[in-house]
Amino acid sequence: MPNPFVGPRPFGQDDIIYGRDLEISELRYMLSAKRIVVLHSPSGAGKSSLVQAKNGLITKLGNTERFDVWGSTRVNLTPDAGLNVANRFIWSAIVGLEKTYPGKRIAVLERPSESFANTTLHEYVTSRPATANPLLIFDQFEEILRLDPGNTPLKHAFFEQLGQLLAEPNIWALFIVREDCLAALRPFLRQVPTHFQNRFRLDFLRREDQAREAIDKPLEVEGRRFSDVPDAEGNPPLDWLLKNLATTKVDGKDEVGETIEPLQLQVVCQNLWSKLGKDLKIAITKDDIGDPSDA
């Protein structure tokens, strides 16, 4: 049987995400109401997964007639040697968006990168056919801060074009940003409508319900479950695992928190599934789990 846990990577379009129904619904309504939204969280909380998963935001929005979801793009691409682009960030965003284009544009099939070397964001988006309001998704948007760190004018030029594009009332956008980078974006935000004031924060998984579902549901789909037999301290295996994942060191002492990092959960559970191998027994015990810190 395939491993139902994705491990240390974002969920893709073929992966079902569990424990996040409320956040997906709330983000969907906020985006519908506010048009320009920033999705931010601590690193490892699963921002991209929330958007990209099979049952995630893109799928939920794609099931309506209001939006033409163009998929996600990033500003991290580096132009090929010898390709003279006006702005590497604009070029990267356009090339990423073009990869999500479902049609066949003969003029750009052979050398799509060169076709957009001097295209502005406004020119590209407004010239591309759309069945409804275009929704642009900028993933890992904090990359604009890290790349070309000394070239501030180039970044201001990008945000100026971004502001011109988002001044169009029928253009919608979602920016996915690591929250520790939000403050560093502030010098550029006066060029963008709303100044990125519409923000949705994604937290880690709540231990008692969201994290439990994220572990239990994939196993249930594959016909497995955790044993109900408690250990000497009265903790059934799943409760013990959740408590272990939520435990951190504070002043040298173990402290059990209320949340669990999704990335850590996926790595530990992927490792657990791999250890089970071809063992067809249904109920998973504490001995099967072992030490989660070994994952």
Side-chain angles (χ1 to χ4, degrees):
M1 291 182 290
N3 198 316
F5 299 99
V6 303
R9 67 165 177 83
F11 283 66
Q13 295 179 349
D14 296 325
D15 304 313
I16 297 178
I17 189 169
Y18 294 99
R20 290 300 198 186
D21 289 348
L22 179 61
E23 286 91 341
I24 293 170
S25 178
E26 289 179 341
L27 178 57
R28 176 186 173 187
Y29 285 124
M30 183 176 188
L31 186 59
S32 298
K34 300 298 185 180
R35 192 170 72 87
I36 302 170
V37 173
V38 175
L39 169 61
H40 65 98
S41 78
S43 179
K47 300 179 295 296
S48 298
S49 297
L50 190 82
V51 174
Q52 301 287 352
K54 186 176 183 178
N55 58 330
L57 180 71
I58 289 179
T59 299
K60 298 297 184 182
L61 290 173
N63 291 334
T64 69
E65 297 181 355
R66 186 172 186 181
F67 297 108
D68 185 358
V69 184
W70 288 11
S72 62
T73 188
R74 291 168 63 180
V75 296
N76 67 323
L77 297 179
T78 302
D80 297 334
L83 180 59
N84 186 23
V85 301
N87 187 302
R88 62 167 295 180
F89 302 118
I90 294 167
W91 171 84
S92 176
I94 292 175
V95 170
L97 290 171
E98 182 66 14
K99 291 178 181 179
T100 72
Y101 183 66
K104 294 181 179 180
R105 306 214 281 193
I106 304 300
V108 299
L109 285 180
E110 294 184 1
R111 293 184 295 179
S113 299
E114 294 183 22
S115 301
F116 305 116
N118 296 288
T119 305
T120 68
L121 279 173
H122 190 274
E123 288 171 346
Y124 175 78
V125 174
T126 56
S127 66
R128 176 171 154 175
T131 58
N133 296 313
L135 170 61
L136 283 57
I137 300 173
F138 292 84
D139 198 5
Q140 299 185 45
F141 193 61
E142 68 276 359
E143 290 172 328
I144 198 166
L145 301 170
R146 178 175 55 84
L147 300 171
D148 273 359
N151 201 338
T152 302
L154 192 70
K155 300 178 184 186
H156 276 293
F158 170 84
F159 278 93
E160 181 179 358
Q161 287 202 26
L162 184 64
Q164 292 172 354
L165 173 64
L166 295 180
E168 298 284 348
N170 66 317
I171 305 296
W172 302 65
L174 175 68
F175 297 88
I176 304 173
V177 184
R178 221 174 60 196
E179 70 180 13
D180 60 320
C181 298
L182 285 174
L185 285 171
R186 191 173 302 153
F188 306 102
L189 299 186
R190 67 183 64 182
Q191 297 170 266
V192 183
T194 73
H195 301 174
F196 280 12
Q197 291 180 352
N198 303 317
R199 300 179 178 182
F200 184 93
R201 186 179 190 273
L202 182 68
D203 203 349
F204 292 151
L205 294 166
R206 294 189 302 271
R207 172 166 56 97
E208 287 304 324
D209 55 349
Q210 293 180 309
R212 183 180 297 273
E213 180 179 338
I215 295 174
D216 219 13
K217 285 291 185 180
L219 293 173
E220 181 182 313
V221 170
E222 299 297 340
R224 283 178 167 170
R225 61 175 177 80
F226 281 90
S227 169
D228 295 325
V229 179
D231 60 13
E233 297 178 355
N235 295 310
L238 179 53
D239 288 24
W240 178 85
L241 175 59
L242 289 167
K243 183 177 179 180
N244 192 290
L245 290 173
T247 299
T248 55
K249 289 286 186 182
V250 178
D251 296 330
K253 298 179 180 180
D254 287 342
E255 183 171 309
V256 181
E258 297 300 321
T259 61
I260 292 173
E261 181 183 342
L263 178 61
Q264 181 191 14
L265 181 150
Q266 288 295 323
V267 169
V268 168
C269 290
Q270 185 186 62
N271 184 62
L272 168 61
W273 183 270
S274 297
K275 287 197 300 183
L276 293 173
K278 297 181 179 180
D279 186 352
L280 297 180
K281 74 174 184 178
I282 295 176
I284 300 171
T285 66
K286 183 177 176 179
D287 289 338
D288 294 322
I289 298 172
D291 186 352
S293 64
D294 292 337

